[in-house]
Amino acid sequence: LLEGPLEIVLARESALRVGGIRILNREGFAAPAFATLGEAHARVDLLALLEGRLDVRAIEATDARIYLERAADGRANWTPQAPAQARDPADRGRLPVAVEIERTTIRSIALEYHDVRSGARHVVDLDELVGTGSWSAPVALEVRGRVAREFPYVVTLSGGSARLLSEGGASWPFALDFEFLGTRLHADGTVEPDARTAQFEFGAGTENLEQVEQFAETKLPKFGVAALSGRGVVRPGAVELADLRGLFGAAEVTGRLAVAFGAGRPRVAGELAMAELELRPFLRASADSTGQPLDYDELARDTLPLRDLVPVDLALALRVDRWIGLGGDVRAATLQVEADERGV
């Protein structure tokens, strides 16, 4: 729906201005729209259109809001309503009009996510999104935002052409980078459009885990320096992480994890092994880090809220070669950690 004036200036490079755009939500979802956009400007090559090509030199827009919803039955408003029909290989990549968009800039963006099953609702505000590339050339995307309106972060994504991703039958390469204060993440791999999967290798590190806590708006153990690497596979509704190798403070971690998103709460299952584990980073700040072993009275005074400790369903086998920071010596410990909406 066009919600404002539409103006066109005809020239060799024509200009188009739209006062506002609203994309309606699919039936069965609560939000009044899937996306809204404020004023948008575009520059179009008019002669290319006469040759059957829509060559958009640049698109600039402001005040975008995108509403992502997952209904009670698990349906998502950003996925197709029905599986796409098998395509004739001869028709792959064919469009009535070849579309080329060289550069897209959108400023002031809000992403709102609502999961009806769990009641979770999150809003992410972004300062700017810039995309370059075209139907036949590699694409690049850069997203800039701020946490608490003060601390900047940058996400960049580069990949193959839009044509390669649309045609299917071939792997689509990509690389992803994230920077936030002293925190870095890099991942690269391929997307298999026909199989609806993505495979990647990743590495992440932070000089202080509290930065990740601040960005994700969640509580994490006070490990300080942390790093993690491994391989991953993303499928519809699931993520599998293998060959995990990490360092959290002085604790080395290895193992594998699988995350499923089909139910009301995400479910995490897997196995982790740690050479050493200290209990103190998991305790409240009231238990000061003196480096001395924790005695019974100190543990008794720390009222750790186990019910809220893990916000997901969990089935985790944890092996600890040596448990340090306690009044005694604990070795070769094996724990089966279970969590659901009732607690840990």
Side-chain angles (χ1 to χ4, degrees):
L1 301 177
L2 301 182
E3 297 190 318
L6 175 65
E7 297 180 359
I8 302 176
V9 178
L10 297 179
R12 172 66 175 81
E13 188 173 277
S14 299
L16 172 68
R17 184 179 76 87
V18 181
I21 298 174
R22 176 180 295 268
I23 300 174
L24 299 181
N25 210 351
R26 282 168 44 187
E27 186 176 352
F29 293 93
F34 173 73
T36 60
L37 192 65
E39 187 170 278
H41 299 259
R43 293 185 288 113
V44 181
D45 188 333
L46 188 61
L47 294 183
L49 188 60
L50 299 177
E51 299 172 356
R53 294 183 293 109
L54 179 56
D55 190 350
V56 181
R57 299 295 176 84
I59 296 176
E60 295 186 3
T62 59
D63 298 327
R65 194 168 190 97
I66 302 173
Y67 301 88
L68 304 178
E69 285 188 74
R70 189 175 289 279
D73 58 5
R75 292 181 304 122
N77 69 339
W78 62 86
T79 59
Q81 291 182 271
Q85 295 181 350
R87 294 169 290 180
D88 188 329
D91 292 333
R92 289 184 185 271
R94 289 186 181 179
L95 291 175
V97 177
V99 179
E100 299 280 354
I101 302 177
E102 298 180 11
R103 184 180 180 86
T104 301
T105 303
I106 304 176
R107 298 180 179 88
S108 185
I109 307 165
L111 297 175
E112 181 174 324
Y113 173 76
H114 181 208
D115 191 330
V116 176
R117 302 168 305 173
S118 62
R121 187 183 296 271
H122 305 284
V123 178
V124 178
D125 294 311
L126 307 175
D127 293 336
E128 184 180 63
L129 180 151
V130 177
T132 59
S134 66
W135 178 250
S136 55
V139 299
L141 185 70
E142 180 179 278
V143 176
R144 294 183 175 272
R146 289 172 295 167
V147 173
R149 301 185 180 275
E150 182 178 358
F151 305 104
Y153 63 88
V154 180
V155 181
T156 58
L157 172 68
S158 59
S161 67
R163 178 190 293 275
L164 181 62
L165 184 62
S166 175
E167 288 178 348
S171 299
W172 188 78
F174 74 90
L176 175 70
D177 288 278
F178 168 79
E179 297 183 13
F180 174 64
L181 300 178
T183 300
R184 301 288 187 273
L185 179 147
H186 174 80
D188 58 70
T190 58
V191 175
E192 310 296 335
D194 290 345
R196 300 178 65 195
T197 63
Q199 303 181 38
F200 60 93
E201 296 183 353
F202 72 95
T206 179
E207 62 186 24
N208 192 335
L209 202 59
E210 290 185 2
Q211 295 178 3
V212 180
E213 180 180 83
Q214 182 182 21
F215 182 84
E217 296 182 348
T218 187
K219 292 295 183 182
L220 296 174
K222 309 301 182 183
F223 282 117
V225 175
L228 184 67
S229 64
R231 296 184 298 107
V233 178
V234 178
R235 297 184 175 88
V239 177
E240 298 175 8
L241 301 176
D243 295 339
L244 292 175
R245 302 187 66 85
L247 184 67
F248 296 89
E252 297 181 5
V253 181
T254 60
R256 61 179 181 84
L257 295 172
V259 186
F261 298 98
R265 283 162 49 103
R267 178 172 179 80
V268 179
E271 302 173 355
L272 294 179
M274 305 180 71
E276 289 185 344
L277 175 63
E278 184 175 359
L279 186 62
R280 197 180 293 275
F282 293 92
L283 301 180
R284 290 185 171 185
S286 58
D288 58 351
S289 292
T290 61
Q292 299 298 320
L294 294 167
D295 58 28
Y296 178 83
D297 290 338
E298 189 174 6
L299 286 171
R301 287 195 302 269
D302 194 289
T303 55
L304 187 65
L306 290 181
R307 182 177 301 279
D308 302 324
L309 184 62
V310 180
V312 299
D313 289 348
L314 186 68
L316 179 66
L318 177 62
R319 190 181 79 246
V320 181
D321 292 340
R322 185 182 179 213
W323 204 320
I324 63 176
L326 299 176
D329 191 20
V330 181
R331 297 178 182 269
T334 301
L335 300 89
Q336 186 68 33
V337 184
E338 304 280 349
D340 56 23
E341 68 278 359
R342 297 171 299 176
V344 179

